[in-house]
Amino acid sequence: GIDFPFSIAFAALAGRWATRTDPFSSYLYAFKLRLALVAVHGALIYALPAGADAPALGGGVYSLVILLSLLSSLADAVMFVGMGAFFARIADDAYGGTYLTLLNTLSNFGSAWPKFVVLASVDWLSLGCRTTDAHGRVCELDGYFLVMMSSFII
């Protein structure tokens, strides 16, 4: 998508930042940015009218979504590079790349498996849903906001 060239540049910038400072501190700064982005994304989705047509939203909304996507990509790159630099710092030289591979594999596994549960819980937690002609699916209690708030708090 549009963020691919930016992702490459963000990874290079994150690599420079992680080598100049403590890599775990760069990870923590990016984590705080991602937490803030969760709140902003939730507020944006809440503010948008249900069933609105795409042209009716205007270019400002699309520009904001692209900006939020780029900021999320930046935070993701800084967190990934910071974690890799942290693993390289704590890894024992006697084991070399094997220990780094193990740490990175465990990290990837830990971030990948909950996605199914989190996305499925949006449907499980949505209550009073019905389909209308004008607005599509309308719920009295949308599970997205429950999952978003619980993810932000946890």
Side-chain angles (χ1 to χ4, degrees):
I2 193 170
D3 65 341
F4 179 72
F6 290 98
S7 296
I8 294 171
F10 292 158
L13 290 173
R16 285 187 182 172
W17 188 20
T19 57
R20 291 184 184 159
T21 63
D22 178 33
F24 200 65
S25 67
S26 63
Y27 177 89
L28 292 176
Y29 284 123
F31 184 77
K32 291 174 187 174
L33 175 62
R34 295 218 30 195
L35 275 180
L37 287 173
V38 167
V40 173
H41 278 108
L44 176 66
I45 291 173
Y46 185 77
L48 292 176
D53 292 334
L57 295 176
V61 172
Y62 286 113
S63 298
L64 182 60
V65 168
I66 290 171
L67 176 68
L68 291 174
S69 174
L70 291 175
L71 287 173
S72 180
S73 180
L74 171 66
D76 189 39
V78 171
M79 288 177 71
F80 182 77
V81 171
M83 187 178 305
F86 177 71
F87 289 163
R89 185 171 286 181
I90 65 169
D92 189 1
D93 292 338
Y95 298 109
T98 305
Y99 189 56
L100 289 174
T101 302
L102 174 67
L103 290 172
N104 196 31
T105 301
L106 292 174
S107 173
N108 289 339
F109 180 70
S111 65
W113 74 268
K115 290 179 184 175
F116 169 76
V117 175
V118 169
L119 292 174
S121 66
V122 170
D123 281 338
W124 298 332
L125 295 172
S126 296
L127 301 175
C129 297
R130 62 189 183 286
T131 303
T132 65
D133 292 334
H135 299 294
R137 184 175 181 213
V138 178
C139 299
E140 292 177 22
L141 180 63
D142 194 344
Y144 170 78
F145 296 106
L146 291 174
V147 169
M148 183 210 46
M149 287 305 297
S150 62
S151 298
F152 182 78
I153 292 169
I154 292 174

